[in-house]
Amino acid sequence: MAASEFELIRRYFEQTRFPQRPDVILGIGDDGALLEAPPGQTLAVTVDMLVAGVHFPLDADPEAVGHKALAVNLSDLAAMGAVPAWVTLAIALPEPDEPWLQRFSRGFYALAERFQVQLVGGDTTRGPLTISIQAHGFVPASEALRRDGAHPGDIICVTGTLGDAGLALAATQGRMAIPDDRESYLHDRLHRPSPRIPQGIDLRGLASSAIDVSDGLAQDLSHILERSRAGARLYVERLPYSAAFSACCQDIETAIRLAIGSGDDYELCFTVPPKHRERLFALAERWDCRCTEIGVIESEPGLRCRRDDGTTYRFARGGYDHFA
Ligand code: ADP
Ligand code: MG
């Protein structure tokens, strides 16, 4: 007999073998959770929805779906400079597919454990496969990384490398070819993004603005520009690429197009006043990813992409827009 809704929740989501946070007074199992934020900290809250067939293919590896569903939320907290603490999970399933749930929850919990995040509640219903996660983190309000603080003269930087996820997606759609020895690295960059939590925390009090790159660098940077009522010059020939990306994308034009126009990288794009440049790169020495300066904020609105010889780079299409 198929398990009941409550049995599914108990089996796959109420996992007491994972670290239980002391600030969770009451977790899964009641009508609501009771949570206690530390004094002096502000709650940062974010929610994201993943729909099968839109955000991931119906036959996607459930473990990767569990990882990514949580990772995209933690990435938003990273972009706020917040330390993640609690998450809730609402899930609609076409049927009580236990092998699927088992693998999904394995991917979810492995990442939750890495960042000491506790699942404190949720909802489980029948319906087209949809996952919505809400994540809560802590950050002192005065140090939170917002989109509206960039000033002319601030340098624009990015963590890690760009374009890997876009390249991996293009490969699964048959638009690009990836050699076998690069496949697993690029596949993981698309399906198992690593939220830049420690980087976001380091950027507190240092970055004047930040955003996570989920829809493509050009589009996401434009959000900072709009919010900050500023413009930017982006050096398209100084974007950071992984070794795997460079090996697959020897054509520089394709590389730039993927790096600024494709989404899913989940890196942080942020601005820093030039007086903090040295401090930033000293901090970035101990990061597990690169930190690259890719442009500068200007007072004239708009995003201007420049090649190193000073000429303008024109790109055809922006990032992903669900309603475009
Ligand atoms: P209610 O009807 O009061 O909303 P539910 O029957 O939906 O309660 O859920 C019972 C308990 O299980 C609640 O504490 C809820 O937060 C939790 N829960 C339900 N689904 C999930 C899930 N997918 N992940 C985590 N907790 C869940
Ligand atoms: Mg409910």
Side-chain angles (χ1 to χ4, degrees):
M1 196 188 92
S4 73
E5 172 192 335
F6 304 102
E7 197 46 35
L8 291 178
I9 294 168
R10 203 190 55 71
R11 274 189 211 157
Y12 300 106
F13 299 115
E14 206 171 343
Q15 311 231 350
T16 45
R17 64 202 161 90
F18 286 98
Q20 306 286 301
R21 298 176 57 98
D23 50 16
V24 177
I25 316 289
L26 190 60
I28 294 175
D30 214 303
D31 295 310
L34 295 175
L35 310 167
E36 187 152 348
Q41 304 268 330
T42 301
L43 261 189
V45 179
T46 178
V47 64
D48 262 305
M49 185 149 75
L50 297 185
V51 180
V54 178
H55 299 93
F56 60 91
L58 277 158
D59 60 353
D61 171 11
E63 215 173 318
V65 174
H67 174 103
K68 192 162 176 176
L70 179 57
V72 300
N73 279 279
L74 298 187
S75 175
D76 280 323
L77 290 183
M80 296 305 295
V83 182
W86 313 310
V87 289
T88 56
L89 163 67
I91 185 164
L93 295 160
E95 57 197 309
D97 180 344
E98 295 206 47
W100 192 94
L101 276 170
Q102 168 119 44
R103 303 201 60 206
F104 172 86
S105 84
R106 196 185 302 150
F108 180 94
Y109 274 104
L111 185 64
E113 195 179 22
R114 195 170 126 207
F115 290 104
Q116 296 293 299
V117 168
Q118 186 171 338
L119 181 64
V120 297
D123 203 16
T124 307
T125 68
R126 190 186 287 268
L129 183 56
T130 304
I131 299 146
S132 180
I133 292 180
Q134 184 172 44
H136 308 73
F138 310 137
V139 61
S142 62
E143 293 182 355
L145 309 178
R146 305 163 49 133
R147 295 181 181 181
D148 60 4
H151 285 289
D154 289 357
I155 60 171
I156 303 169
C157 299
V158 68
T159 61
T161 58
L162 296 170
D164 295 328
L167 171 60
L169 182 66
T172 55
Q173 295 170 342
R175 290 183 282 118
M176 301 259 320
I178 294 180
D180 286 350
D181 60 333
R182 306 291 185 175
E183 164 79 42
S184 104
Y185 174 84
L186 292 166
H187 180 274
D188 276 4
R189 287 282 291 159
L190 174 62
H191 296 290
R192 294 177 182 273
S194 184
R196 300 301 188 193
I197 298 289
Q199 289 75 18
I201 294 167
D202 272 354
L203 292 173
R204 287 176 178 181
L206 196 68
S208 50
S209 72
I211 192 169
D212 66 324
V213 183
S214 54
D215 296 328
L217 177 69
Q219 182 162 313
D220 291 317
L221 176 57
S222 294
H223 294 315
I224 287 186
L225 302 181
E226 279 154 30
R227 286 268 161 193
S228 300
R229 299 172 187 281
R233 176 179 296 242
L234 184 69
Y235 301 113
V236 296
E237 292 176 2
R238 301 181 200 175
L239 303 174
Y241 300 137
S242 67
F245 181 91
S246 299
C248 301
C249 258
Q250 279 149 2
D251 167 34
I252 176 84
E253 299 308 315
T254 307
I256 296 173
R257 190 169 46 76
L258 280 171
I260 69 177
S262 64
D264 269 352
D265 284 318
Y266 296 101
E267 296 295 348
L268 297 183
C269 173
F270 56 95
T271 60
V272 170
K275 64 173 185 219
H276 291 326
R277 183 192 267 116
E278 252 178 73
R279 226 173 99 207
L280 167 68
F281 283 99
L283 278 172
E285 292 271 307
R286 31 164 247 239
W287 290 359
D288 60 356
C289 66
R290 284 149 72 174
C291 175
T292 309
E293 186 174 335
I294 57 171
V296 62
I297 297 293
E298 296 174 333
S299 53
E300 191 196 336
L303 177 62
R304 291 163 287 282
C305 295
R306 292 278 188 275
R307 296 180 190 273
D308 282 353
D309 64 8
T311 58
T312 299
Y313 170 86
R314 284 182 207 290
F315 62 101
R317 198 179 64 91
Y320 194 75
D321 178 341
H322 282 279
F323 296 103

